[in-house]
Amino acid sequence: MTTPAVSVVLCTYTERRWADLLAAVRSVREQRVGPPVEIVVAVDHDEPLLARVRREASDVVAVGNPGPRGLSATRNAGVAAARGDIVAFMDDDCAAAPDWLQRLLAHYRRPDVAGVGGAAVPRWDAGRPRWFPEEFDWVVGCSYRGLPAQPAPVRNFIGANMSFRRDALAAAGGFRDGLGRVGGRPRGCEETELCLRLSARRPGARLVYEPGAVVRHRVPADRGTWRYFVARCWAEGGSKALVARLAGRTRALASERRHVRHTLPAGARAGIRTALAGDPGGGARAAAILAGLAITTLGYARGAVAGVRTRPVRGASVRP
């Protein structure tokens, strides 16, 4: 079977990540399966950065975001410029393993597979804090404890490492404006809402998680702090409330309910056991799990109550 043509979209918004962006581009060029048909660098409302990409990375397709500021509209700009049958997304501060694309593309041999996501492994600049639980690695944009250990169907992907058939993206309407990160503001859930909408519009379509398709995601020191942990949990709760309003609570919160009922209690118990065995970090991790759950829940409640006052969330059309 012919390997489908793939475009890789990298979104960026600040020159402070220039070295990371170049490393991300290099890791995509060096894929074992061969380079993609193109690497698209989509820049979010930063003209000097866009000019620098065009000047110093001339072998990539550089495009600006003509829509509202934010990651969702920037991704849509990247998709609009892409030519591949498959569009893969990776964050600008990630580096892909040499077999990343090979492992993602293998699943597209099945025609019912509309998207494939991979694992994002944290690369901590200052080392993982002893109190930071792996069950909350989504806080820093990475895969977390509780995800499948083998390839399996999932509801949604980690935004730092995901791919879709281009026609499925177009049918779903692209990423929705008003959801997701804007600059440094730690919002999220735009990929969750997209996956829910795609599944609703294509009954029978499968979204597959492939844990062997790995990218290493840089985590700067300021994201390994308690302050960022609290802010990200609060923002995630509010984002989840908005997704629940758009897609319905049952569909929007099914994975979260399983995580709360099974993974988080197991993690808290494990932390307490290691604390009793003499590891003070275990007690801190157990406390962080309980605190993170409480903060996210409060953020959700706040978002649900404020939902009627939230500005309308716009859709965005992506033409095939």
Side-chain angles (χ1 to χ4, degrees):
M1 179 178 289
T2 304
T3 301
V6 57
S7 300
V8 176
V9 174
L10 305 174
C11 297
T12 188
Y13 69 96
T14 174
E15 284 196 72
R16 293 193 300 273
R17 292 188 177 187
W18 180 252
D20 291 329
L21 177 63
L22 293 183
V25 169
R26 184 167 57 251
S27 74
V28 174
R29 286 198 198 109
E30 296 172 353
Q31 287 299 293
R32 195 174 293 162
V33 74
V37 294
E38 64 200 348
I39 301 172
V40 179
V41 176
V43 180
D44 187 17
H45 291 267
D46 188 325
E47 289 301 322
L49 175 57
L50 179 59
R52 186 177 185 184
V53 174
R54 287 172 173 164
R55 184 174 64 250
E56 299 185 30
S58 57
D59 58 338
V60 307
V61 178
V63 297
N65 169 20
R69 187 181 297 274
L71 181 55
S72 289
T74 307
R75 281 175 173 158
N76 286 334
V79 176
R83 295 175 294 131
D85 304 314
I86 308 297
V87 181
F89 298 89
M90 190 174 76
D91 280 7
D92 62 346
D93 52 355
C94 289
D99 60 349
W100 171 61
L101 279 181
Q102 182 179 0
R103 288 179 177 268
L104 291 180
L105 293 175
H107 291 278
Y108 286 106
R109 294 170 186 155
R110 293 191 51 160
D112 60 337
V113 172
V116 186
V121 178
R123 179 172 61 84
W124 301 84
D125 280 0
R128 174 186 284 275
R130 296 177 67 186
W131 60 267
F132 203 110
E134 292 184 14
E135 292 79 2
F136 276 79
D137 276 4
W138 56 263
V139 164
V140 291
C142 292
S143 303
Y144 50 89
R145 180 174 289 157
L147 288 175
Q150 301 294 329
V154 291
R155 182 196 66 184
N156 65 274
F157 304 132
I158 298 289
N161 184 1
M162 59 184 178
S163 66
F164 299 92
R165 293 191 190 273
R166 197 178 192 288
D167 59 352
L169 271 178
F175 293 90
R176 192 181 290 271
D177 299 339
L179 277 171
R181 185 175 289 270
V182 179
R185 284 187 284 175
R187 298 190 300 190
C189 292
E190 72 283 357
E191 61 276 346
T192 300
E193 193 276 336
L194 169 68
C195 290
L196 288 169
R197 184 159 27 93
L198 189 156
S199 297
R201 295 187 182 182
R202 285 202 167 185
R206 297 171 74 243
L207 301 176
V208 178
Y209 175 62
E210 170 51 81
V214 175
V215 302
R216 293 185 61 81
H217 197 172
R218 181 188 172 211
V219 182
D222 62 350
R223 293 194 179 183
T225 63
W226 177 248
R227 179 177 181 177
Y228 185 82
F229 183 87
V230 170
R232 183 69 184 88
C233 288
W234 177 264
E236 181 75 2
S239 298
K240 280 288 190 297
L242 185 49
V243 172
R245 183 156 58 90
L246 292 166
R249 289 179 60 188
T250 300
R251 297 175 66 232
L253 301 177
S255 297
E256 287 73 16
R257 289 192 183 98
R258 287 193 297 271
H259 196 63
V260 168
R261 289 172 181 168
H262 302 290
T263 306
L264 296 188
R269 289 193 296 268
I272 292 170
R273 283 197 300 270
T274 60
L276 294 175
D279 175 16
R285 289 190 294 275
I289 288 173
L290 298 176
L293 174 59
I295 295 164
T296 306
T297 303
L298 289 172
Y300 176 88
R302 173 68 175 82
V305 170
V308 293
R309 298 191 297 274
T310 303
R311 68 181 178 87
V313 180
R314 297 179 297 277
S317 177
V318 177
R319 291 178 296 176

